[in-house]
Amino acid sequence: MPNLNGKLEWTEKDQRAVDTVRVLAADAVEKVGNGHPGTAMSLAPLAYLLHQKVMRHDPTDDRWAGRDRFVLSPGHSSLTLYIQLFLSGYGLELKDLEALRTWGSLTPGHPEYKHTKGVEITTGPLGQGLASSVGFAYAQRRMRGLFDPEAPEGASPFDHTVYTIASDGDLEEGVTSEASSLAGHQQLGNLIVFYDQNQISIEDDTDVAFTEDVAQRYEAYGWDVRSVDWTNGGSGYAENVEELFDQIREAKKVTNKPTLIALKTIIGWPAPNKQNTGGIHGSALGGDEVKAVKEILDFDPEKSFQIEDDILAHTREVKERAHREREEWEKSFREWQEENPQAAKLYKRLSEGGLPEDYKESFPVFEAGASLATRAASGKVINAIAETFPELWGGSADLAGSNNTTIESADSFNPSSRSTKKFTANPYGRVLHFGIREHAAAAIVNGIVLSSPTRAFSGTFLIFSDYQRPAIRLSALMGVPSIYVWTHDSIGLGEDGPTHQPVEQLSTLRAIPNLDVVRPADANETSVVWRTILEQKERPAGLALTRQGLPTVPRVDIHPDVEGEKFASAEGAARGGYVLADTDSTPDVILIATGSEVELALEAREALATEGVAARVVSMPCREWFDRQDAGYRESVIPASVTARVSVEAGSAMSWNDLIGTTGRAVALDHFGASADYKTLYKEFGITSEAVAEAAKESIHASKV
């Protein structure tokens, strides 16, 4: 790979390869009949320059730790990436480009993480890629701080650059404003964003809705801002690749600011009739226009998917250059290992996905009887395990004191100049401060987890998970283990009233495939579920935690000396649902509860017993974990023969209908809350132990009819 301090070598073969990209993009969309050819055509020189001349990457190993990261935020322009992966030799071939957007292909409509080799992140919903690329940059700095903090700038094997392409649409999305503000605040000199300023979207000219000065906005965020104009101010089209290369080189020298390079292009160039129109943004060019493009670029208009053998051979030479780069990196990495044996041991564990030795011993056990909010218990767990899990880091969207997410022994992840009276800043710290930017917080955590072997969490109130939903959904779609800490999980938050009291959130979050929604009942369940979340690596999880204090249930395994009835081990929480309190015989009714309402179910069980009704209490902190248990276990907890069932949760009953069936009853909240203390709210809205007992008797009656 060329030295970025040198002159760009750009040959006729490079230019022919770029023109080949344009033709392949037009052909691929034309063949399937739909797609987005325009940006792939006009950004061909940029994408080629990055993959062939600038980025450190290895087409034989797309997970190589030393690689630079590339994020295509406008995922609809997937061909911008796919064709470079083909040219570089990542495994895509012409047949894959021909199969664009079809069933079972490696080239779906938008790039998908884990589906296509070389794709760093699933992008598609505009804004998510750019926002998560800020998380990529966070991760690089944290990894450097964790393993090689004393190395000179750019000299560590943990140094790399994040290159991101963003569109007008990306910069219109609010999440990129949130994340870009944080990137400037964090002085992320390892992030370079190329803003494709073509000023065309589906509704054609962006002047109908987007006229702000983006460069000035990013300067105000604290970014290094540069510009390259390939349109010559509208007087023609001149792709000055050398100028763009020079701007990248200069941007690399800026280590205390992220860089935005505004690249003014003409979408769809050189299509003679459709360039610079909304029609080329998301539609096939049409046969005549494709032929015209080929004639302009000196390709045979009667042939499709053309690439000369010498051009493909030329682009595949990037593997040889990558091999040399990797050899240099491996040498540097081996030297680091020899000089830092303990850090190398930690790195090996993290990179292999291992857990700390004897990690289970670090999770706290809580005394029975004490009243403790699960948000407070969660905070105690985080701090108890912080030393054992150095890979764990995170923080809140300006709610650290309420979410209990601060690692007390750690500095804030901030430039040193950002220290405050309360928080000591360290660029390699562990405590994240997102400000009131819930959406960016979730997207940034996704980027951190995607780009590193660390585990990161973000905190906010459960009600504001609505602000995070697009990023949460993407983490579930990608199967990455992001962690969301959501506190103030019900009307139990009290006087803040209905704007802050979640009702439908638990059910709607459970509706997201591959997302684990976890609502523990007491402090010891909280400890167990935190451990279980950290043990899992294939899906995200969200913790729904209480503001109000809850009694710590006496357990048979950890509270043997406590007088009175003792209940099942909290270890059952790891299976998603378990029998917390049982009967001596077959139960007449099963009470299924989560979180703060488990206490009500236990009280109702006692009341029912005085009437001769045998009730089993099932604590079910996580529907998703329970549903993944084998059929035998699920039957042992909720036997099919017992059809009298009551669900108890201070939220929508929607996610319980399948378990309680037609004869079951739900003690739930299917309307908005109110402003009052939480005890009053539970009483007024009928979420009480008396209501649970009454519902149990109704269900028993219905099951016998």
Side-chain angles (χ1 to χ4, degrees):
M1 298 245 173
N3 187 333
L4 282 179
N5 292 322
K7 180 178 175 61
L8 173 67
E9 295 182 10
W10 192 263
T11 67
E12 290 183 4
K13 286 186 176 180
D14 291 317
Q15 188 57 52
R16 184 63 172 175
V18 167
D19 291 340
T20 300
V21 171
R22 293 182 161 119
V23 170
L24 290 175
D27 278 341
V29 175
E30 197 66 26
K31 184 176 187 295
V32 71
N34 56 79
H36 300 79
T39 303
M41 294 170 68
S42 51
L43 286 188
L46 168 59
Y48 183 87
L49 177 68
L50 289 175
H51 284 82
Q52 292 285 326
K53 309 290 185 178
V54 172
M55 293 197 308
R56 185 174 67 191
H57 64 116
D58 183 356
T60 67
D61 181 6
D62 70 332
R63 297 291 94 194
W64 172 37
R67 71 193 184 280
D68 290 329
R69 272 53 164 185
F70 175 76
V71 176
L72 179 69
S73 197
H76 59 267
S77 183
S78 56
L79 285 164
T80 299
L81 176 56
Y82 292 153
I83 298 175
Q84 297 307 320
L85 297 179
F86 159 60
L87 294 179
S88 298
Y90 274 84
L92 292 184
E93 299 298 344
L94 274 179
K95 62 181 177 61
D96 298 304
L97 300 183
E98 294 176 20
L100 178 74
R101 299 169 70 93
T102 61
W103 175 262
S105 77
L106 291 174
T107 50
H110 294 79
E112 295 180 21
Y113 175 68
K114 293 182 180 178
H115 183 80
T116 307
K117 188 178 178 183
V119 173
E120 296 280 2
I121 177 176
T122 299
T123 54
L126 287 174
Q128 292 297 322
L130 174 51
S132 288
S133 71
V134 175
F136 278 46
Y138 272 48
Q140 184 275 317
R141 194 169 90 194
R142 174 64 184 154
M143 288 289 285
R144 180 189 226 278
L146 195 58
F147 295 110
D148 202 15
E150 302 302 323
E153 189 75 42
S156 171
F158 299 97
D159 288 333
H160 64 256
T161 303
V162 181
Y163 296 97
T164 302
I165 290 177
S167 63
D168 288 297
D170 286 298
L171 297 188
E172 291 174 22
E173 289 286 358
V175 69
T176 59
S177 295
E178 294 181 19
S180 296
S181 175
L182 278 168
H185 165 85
Q186 288 288 356
Q187 301 175 2
L188 298 176
N190 56 350
L191 174 63
I192 298 177
V193 174
F194 300 91
Y195 164 34
D196 178 27
Q197 193 174 12
N198 63 46
Q199 296 179 276
I200 292 291
S201 61
I202 292 175
E203 294 185 5
D204 207 76
D205 195 324
T206 58
D207 275 357
V208 298
F210 190 49
T211 53
E212 68 194 43
D213 190 321
V214 172
Q216 286 190 2
R217 171 154 68 98
Y218 273 75
E219 286 175 359
Y221 288 150
W223 287 53
D224 168 51
V225 178
R226 302 172 179 277
S227 62
V228 175
D229 188 351
W230 284 352
T231 71
N232 286 337
S235 62
Y237 201 68
E239 291 172 343
N240 191 332
V241 181
E242 179 75 42
E243 181 186 5
L244 179 58
F245 180 82
D246 290 344
Q247 292 293 357
I248 295 171
R249 180 177 56 198
E250 293 305 307
K252 289 274 289 181
K253 296 177 183 177
V254 180
T255 60
N256 64 343
K257 292 182 178 182
T259 293
L260 179 81
I261 300 177
L263 177 62
K264 195 163 181 59
T265 65
I266 294 176
I267 190 172
W269 191 88
N273 302 301
K274 292 192 174 182
Q275 64 176 270
N276 205 32
T277 68
I280 206 168
H281 167 87
S283 303
L285 276 70
D288 291 341
E289 191 79 351
V290 171
K291 288 181 179 179
V293 168
K294 292 177 180 178
E295 289 172 349
I296 291 169
L297 297 177
D298 195 25
F299 284 76
D300 187 338
E302 301 304 320
K303 293 182 179 179
S304 296
F305 295 97
Q306 304 169 70
I307 181 168
E308 291 95 346
D309 290 342
D310 64 327
I311 298 302
L312 183 58
H314 175 69
T315 63
R316 294 276 168 95
E317 288 175 5
V318 73
K319 289 185 177 181
E320 298 173 15
R321 297 192 292 271
H323 179 70
R324 294 194 296 271
E325 283 272 320
R326 181 155 186 171
E327 281 188 332
E328 293 177 7
W329 183 89
E330 294 287 358
K331 179 184 176 184
S332 172
F333 183 70
R334 285 193 299 270
E335 291 173 352
W336 170 80
Q337 286 178 307
E338 292 169 1
E339 295 170 3
N340 303 275
Q342 286 303 114
K345 183 179 178 182
L346 173 61
Y347 179 80
K348 184 175 187 294
R349 174 174 72 78
L350 296 190
S351 61
E352 293 176 351
L355 291 162
E357 187 176 351
D358 299 326
Y359 69 94
K360 292 183 180 180
E361 305 303 318
S362 65
F363 286 84
V365 174
F366 296 89
E367 292 299 318
S371 179
L372 191 67
T374 53
R375 63 165 176 165
S378 173
K380 290 179 182 297
V381 172
I382 289 171
N383 280 280
I385 67 174
E387 184 176 350
T388 303
F389 287 85
E391 64 266 37
L392 182 66
W393 57 314
S396 286
D398 199 52
L399 290 168
S402 290
N403 296 152
N404 294 89
T405 49
T406 300
I407 299 174
E408 301 293 346
S409 61
D411 292 336
S412 295
F413 180 85
N414 262 324
S416 299
S417 61
R418 307 295 193 201
S419 289
T420 66
K421 291 181 180 179
K422 186 171 183 178
F423 294 101
T424 300
N426 179 338
Y428 302 140
R430 295 174 70 180
V431 178
L432 294 172
H433 303 278
F434 296 109
I436 306 170
R437 303 181 184 92
E438 296 88 353
H439 195 174
I444 286 170
V445 165
N446 285 349
I448 290 170
V449 178
L450 280 163
S451 188
S452 74
T454 67
R455 298 296 299 272
F457 58 86
S458 68
T460 187
F461 290 173
L462 179 58
I463 193 72
F464 300 131
S465 64
D466 285 349
Y467 285 2
Q468 301 181 309
R469 190 171 296 269
I472 295 168
R473 185 176 188 273
L474 273 185
S475 67
L477 178 62
M478 291 185 285
V480 296
S482 301
I483 301 171
Y484 310 102
V485 178
W486 298 313
T487 68
H488 296 59
D489 68 343
S490 71
I491 55 171
L493 69 89
E495 292 85 351
D496 276 344
T499 62
H500 281 51
Q501 292 166 359
V503 173
E504 74 279 16
Q505 278 68 30
L506 288 168
S507 283
T508 58
L509 288 165
R510 289 179 181 130
I512 299 175
N514 209 41
L515 172 68
D516 296 338
V517 180
V518 191
R519 190 170 185 244
D522 74 347
N524 285 308
E525 275 197 12
T526 303
S527 188
V528 170
V529 299
W530 253 112
R531 190 193 74 216
T532 307
I533 288 169
L534 291 172
E535 289 171 339
Q536 299 184 9
K537 303 291 176 66
E538 299 301 321
R539 58 188 61 82
L543 281 155
L545 305 168
T546 67
R547 178 199 185 202
Q548 73 272 31
L550 302 178
T552 303
V553 176
R555 308 279 181 170
V556 294
D557 55 337
I558 57 177
H559 306 120
D561 298 328
V562 174
E563 294 183 2
E565 185 176 13
K566 289 178 282 292
F567 302 100
S569 170
E571 288 296 324
R575 304 190 77 168
Y578 66 106
V579 178
L580 175 64
D582 210 357
T583 65
D584 294 329
S585 58
T586 301
D588 298 313
V589 63
I590 300 174
L591 311 178
I592 310 165
T594 78
S596 48
E597 287 70 68
V598 169
E599 176 186 7
L600 303 181
L602 289 173
E603 292 174 356
R605 170 178 172 267
E606 289 186 10
L608 288 167
T610 65
E611 300 181 39
V613 176
R616 169 182 288 183
V617 174
V618 171
S619 177
M620 191 166 289
C622 183
R623 279 293 318 260
E624 295 77 22
W625 295 350
F626 183 73
D627 290 346
R628 289 199 291 271
Q629 302 302 312
D630 62 78
Y633 177 77
R634 297 197 307 272
E635 172 67 16
S636 73
V637 176
I638 306 176
S641 60
V642 182
T643 58
R645 304 173 183 178
V646 178
S647 65
V648 193
E649 186 170 72
S652 170
M654 185 182 301
S655 51
W656 297 103
N657 291 333
D658 63 322
L659 276 186
I660 61 177
T662 57
T663 60
R665 297 292 183 268
V667 175
L669 188 71
D670 285 308
H671 56 79
F672 295 121
S675 181
D677 68 275
Y678 78 90
K679 291 182 180 179
T680 297
L681 293 174
Y682 272 83
K683 178 182 178 182
E684 292 296 328
F685 292 144
I687 303 176
T688 62
S689 59
E690 292 82 5
V692 175
E694 187 60 33
K697 288 182 280 189
E698 290 180 12
S699 184
I700 292 170
H701 176 73
S703 68
K704 293 178 179 179
V705 174

